[in-house]
Amino acid sequence: MRGVPEGLFERTSPSGPLTEEHLALRDTMRDFVAREIVPHIDEWEEARRLPRSLYRKAAEVGLQGLIWPEELGGSGGDFLMQIIAFEEIARAGAGGVAASLGSYSIGLPPIVKLGRPEILERYARPVIAGEKIAALCVTEPGGGSDVAALRTTARRDGAHYVVNGEKTFITSGVQADVLTVAVRTDLESRGAKGISFLVVEGDSPGLSRTELFKMGWHASDTAHLHFADVRVPAENLLGVEHEGFRAAMLNFNDERLVIAAQAVGFAEACLAEARAWAAERSAFGCRLSENQAIRHRLVEMVMQVDAARTLVHDVVARRMAGADPLPTHIARTAMAKITATTALFNVAGQAVQILGGMGYMRGTVSERVFRETKVLSIGGGADEILKDLAARQMGF
Ligand SMILES: Cc1cc2nc3c(=O)[nH]c(=O)nc-3n(C[C@H](O)[C@H](O)[C@H](O)COP(=O)(O)OP(=O)(O)OC[C@H]3O[C@@H](n4cnc5c(N)ncnc54)[C@H](O)[C@@H]3O)c2cc1C
């Protein structure tokens, strides 16, 4: 049941067919996934982390630098490239691999967008080169949805900030070398005002980590982080002090589109496995796929994957063209994430059903992805929070 599933139809984006560059990237990523990811998934799931060599290999095909400037070792591609890359990685059918290999896609943007030149050199360049692992640390034990309520403090002390507090559920948190941490720098403040981003080095004295164990995403290392008087050079502040909340919120939009693209890829992996199983497996003297009920189920799965992909690509194309006012973009992004992750939830469940008992067994893509569906409706903004956000943006 292993292997990168073939796509059901050539992918196009609503803005027109993918360009030669997009198609070339898709082929490169498909080859990378087949060669460097698929054969090792079980081993990494068992080890509960990815090997550092994978980050270097991913950098060789340009993954981490896809959308970042050439001056930093990137290739300056457009955002659709990022979407295609993550859809392809997801088609391996292992959310933990996509999550930890992809933690740079949430940890790096605040650094590249807001960091001073020396910070870019020190932290962004090695992450893009696959030499260092980045993580984004926003969620706290007291709550993740209400970002504005975060309590980790960074008190200014001469040329340093002194960080105290806790972060939890942090993807790549066990291994990360470069931590992009949301902190409260205005200690008198409450709510959104007074929040900043700092880059904290993984080996900073006073930083300790505890590994967390999860329902799925086993190949991804997830950690609880404890900051006890961690001294961080003041130059590691990203952007304007106390003004980090808006940057965090805008950053979430791209993260949500990447999650939506991954949901499409995971759903396609399940669909491909179920389709192959239905064509091979016999019951009551005929192939499963000869039953109309099974064929209808497969068509319903294709409908959901196709609709989700079309929506995600449309939101991405309009984002790239600057076609929508910001509130519209925020609302459509939130709704696209919910649509794609709901499609995945349904498709993964239907795939397990078609595989029968085999769909409940370790070793099938559908079993693993089914266990991994829930997290995509929680991380990057839970469904309830995103519906509230969309409602506010649309003036409901
Ligand atoms: C595997 C995994 C990896 C993660 N990786 C990272 C990471 O790398 N970095 C990071 O910073 N965070 C990470 N997270 C955290 C994730 O972003 C949070 O779990 C998420 O934001 C939800 O926060 P919470 O878990 O504290 O739930 P809560 O905020 O406590 O919410 C609990 C439930 O209540 C609902 N709810 C809350 N408020 C309302 C309301 N007003 N109305 C209706 N319903 C409401 C929520 O939608 C949710 O369903 C990760 C989480 C997981 C599970």
Side-chain angles (χ1 to χ4, degrees), residues 72 85 107 129 181 391:
L72 285 174
V181 187

Side-chain angles (χ1 to χ4, degrees), residues 198-217:
L198 290 179
V199 185
V200 179
E201 297 191 7
D203 57 1
S204 301
L207 170 64
S208 54
R209 320 172 188 221
T210 309
E211 183 166 2
L212 300 173
F213 296 89
K214 313 179 293 297
M215 179 193 292
W217 279 15

Side-chain angles (χ1 to χ4, degrees), residues 238-351:
L238 300 174
V240 180
E241 191 181 45
H242 309 330
E243 302 287 337
F245 184 76
R246 189 174 152 74
M249 289 296 123
L250 290 177
N251 214 32
F252 279 138
N253 286 318
D254 286 354
E255 177 184 355
R256 285 166 192 154
L257 288 171
V258 168
I259 292 174
Q262 290 183 40
V264 169
F266 295 133
E268 194 170 288
C270 293
L271 171 57
E273 188 176 59
R275 184 194 187 197
W277 183 264
E280 282 166 23
R281 180 84 170 168
S282 293
F284 300 101
C286 67
R287 304 276 175 203
L288 287 183
S289 57
E290 289 174 53
N291 295 292
Q292 189 185 45
I294 299 283
R295 287 203 307 278
H296 281 191
R297 178 166 274 154
L298 287 168
V299 170
E300 283 161 14
M301 292 159 77
V302 175
M303 285 159 54
Q304 292 176 80
V305 175
D306 191 30
R309 174 181 289 121
T310 302
L311 173 62
V312 173
H313 283 203
D314 183 58
V315 176
V316 170
R318 293 180 69 81
R319 171 206 180 281
M320 284 164 36
D324 290 325
L326 189 58
T328 308
H329 174 64
I330 292 172
R332 290 196 76 218
T333 295
M335 294 187 292
K337 177 180 177 266
I338 298 172
T339 303
T341 54
T342 305
L344 169 63
F345 186 73
N346 294 333
V347 168
Q350 287 162 335

Side-chain angles (χ1 to χ4, degrees), residues 136-139 143-145 169-171 214 217 375 378 380 382 384-385:
L136 179 71
C137 312
V138 175
T139 304
S145 302
F169 310 150
I170 304 305
T171 298
K214 313 179 293 297
W217 279 15
V375 66
I378 295 170
E384 297 80 359
I385 306 305

Side-chain angles (χ1 to χ4, degrees), residues 40 59 89 111 263:
H40 306 291
I89 291 169
I111 301 179

